[in-house]
């Protein structure tokens, strides 16, 4: 619980307040109110108290004093400054828009407790459980989102680059295989050419042999009989 006690006051007169804890800090807030000058300004006042087992805890009193009204919240120092002042700005905005603010000038102490006290309680509960983001936090979140998108884009580019490199490697392998295939094809073509030549030579030789056998039947093995018959 970051916000502990909040109030709206006119001067030193508390018009409405709400405390989230069990301890009553009304006397402390009254002391702070009595020390706030009438000038319009945003100030953080330090307040140190002692709670259970004499363990010292440090609290901060943040307030806005403007237009005769003071908007004050007591917060744990871990809350920092941005969140409490965002709460006070929201509290001031809601108070000025509330119908009861028109009669606040003449209201007695705690005169707006019944009408505006629940508003303070609801607003404190909102900021203590899920405080809305201020502009700086929102800008930081948007910057983080942009950074995450850029990181994803870079990762996609790197991944695409790796795939391109893999494709290039595969292309190189395929080019090497194609070169080896062409060399193999030329070697096979040469082998087939010589084989065809051998078959042709063998066919010519067989044809000549068959022709010689055919002629030898009539002219003898030396082909001399055909010559002798022709001379007779």
């Amino acid at each position: 619980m970051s916000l502990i006690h909040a109030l709206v006051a006119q001067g030193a007169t508390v018009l409405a307040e709400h405390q989230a804890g069990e301890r009553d800090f009304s006397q402390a807030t009254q002391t702070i109110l009595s020390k706030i000058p009438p000038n319009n300004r945003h100030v953080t006042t330090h307040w140190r108290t002692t709670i259970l087992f004499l363990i010292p805890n440090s609290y901060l009193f943040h307030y806005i004093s403007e237009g005769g009204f003071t908007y004050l919240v007591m917060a744990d120092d871990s809350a920092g400054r941005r969140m409490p002042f965002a709460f006070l700005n929201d509290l001031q905005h809601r108070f000025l828009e509330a119908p009861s603010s028109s009669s606040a000038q003449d209201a007695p102490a705690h005169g707006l407790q019944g009408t505006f006290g629940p508003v303070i309680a609801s607003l404190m509960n909102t900021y203590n459980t899920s405080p809305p983001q201020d502009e700086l936090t929102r800008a930081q979140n948007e910057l983080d989102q942009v950074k995450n998108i850029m990181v994803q884009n870079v990762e996609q580019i790197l991944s695409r680059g790796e795939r391109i490199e893999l494709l290039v490697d595969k292309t190189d392998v395929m080019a090497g295989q194609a070169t080896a295939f062409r060399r193999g094809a030329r070697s096979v073509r040469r082998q087939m050419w010589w084989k065809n030549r051998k078959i042709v030579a063998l066919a010519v030789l067989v044809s000549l042999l068959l022709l010689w056998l055919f002629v030898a039947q009539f002219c003898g093995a030396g082909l001399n009989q055909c010559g002798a018959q022709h001379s007779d």
Side-chain angles (χ1 to χ4, degrees), residues 65-131:
S65 178
E66 186 174 356
F69 296 102
T70 299
Y71 311 89
L72 182 144
V73 62
M74 176 184 175
D76 190 270
D77 59 354
S78 61
R81 288 176 55 88
R82 288 204 306 268
M83 194 271 278
F85 274 111
F87 166 81
L88 290 176
N89 287 325
D90 201 350
L91 179 64
Q92 180 184 23
H93 180 72
R94 297 195 181 194
F95 177 75
L96 295 178
E97 287 188 343
S100 57
S101 62
S102 58
S103 58
Q105 295 287 347
D106 302 324
H110 294 89
L112 303 181
Q113 184 65 33
T115 57
F116 199 70
V119 176
I120 301 176
S122 175
L123 194 60
M124 283 185 66
N125 180 67
T126 299
Y127 274 81
N128 277 330
T129 54
S130 56

Side-chain angles (χ1 to χ4, degrees), residues 24-213:
D24 186 8
F25 292 95
S26 299
Q27 183 177 357
T29 55
Q30 193 66 49
T31 302
I32 296 296
L33 285 174
S34 64
K35 296 181 179 296
I36 296 177
N39 299 329
N40 295 341
R41 60 179 180 173
H42 296 56
V43 181
T44 299
T45 302
H46 293 271
W47 173 263
R48 183 170 293 276
T49 185
T50 303
I51 59 174
L52 297 176
F53 304 108
L54 300 178
I55 300 175
N57 281 354
S58 181
Y59 298 103
L60 299 177
F61 284 81
H62 310 272
Y63 69 86
I64 297 176
S65 178
E66 186 174 356
F69 296 102
T70 299
Y71 311 89
L72 182 144
V73 62
M74 176 184 175
D76 190 270
D77 59 354
S78 61
R81 288 176 55 88
R82 288 204 306 268
M83 194 271 278
F85 274 111
F87 166 81
L88 290 176
N89 287 325
D90 201 350
L91 179 64
Q92 180 184 23
H93 180 72
R94 297 195 181 194
F95 177 75
L96 295 178
E97 287 188 343
S100 57
S101 62
S102 58
S103 58
Q105 295 287 347
D106 302 324
H110 294 89
L112 303 181
Q113 184 65 33
T115 57
F116 199 70
V119 176
I120 301 176
S122 175
L123 194 60
M124 283 185 66
N125 180 67
T126 299
Y127 274 81
N128 277 330
T129 54
S130 56
Q133 297 179 348
D134 56 17
E135 293 299 326
L136 181 60
T137 304
R138 187 178 298 108
Q140 183 64 42
N141 291 337
E142 292 177 355
L143 182 62
D144 291 340
Q145 292 177 0
V146 173
K147 183 179 69 175
N148 291 334
I149 293 174
M150 292 179 64
V151 170
Q152 293 176 0
N153 291 337
V154 171
E155 290 178 350
Q156 292 177 358
I157 292 174
L158 293 177
S159 177
R160 190 178 301 115
E162 292 177 356
R163 290 197 295 269
I164 291 174
E165 291 179 357
L166 181 60
L167 180 61
V168 171
D169 293 339
K170 289 184 177 180
T171 303
D172 292 340
V173 172
M174 293 179 64
Q177 292 176 348
T179 302
F181 177 78
R182 285 195 298 270
R183 291 176 181 174
R186 285 196 297 267
S187 177
V188 171
R189 189 165 57 249
R190 291 193 192 99
Q191 293 176 1
M192 293 301 297
W193 187 84
W194 282 110
K195 187 175 182 179
N196 290 335
R197 291 296 179 270
K198 291 178 181 180
I199 291 175
V200 171
L202 182 61
V204 171
L205 182 60
V206 170
S207 298
L208 292 174
L209 180 61
L210 291 175
L211 179 62
W212 177 81
L213 290 175

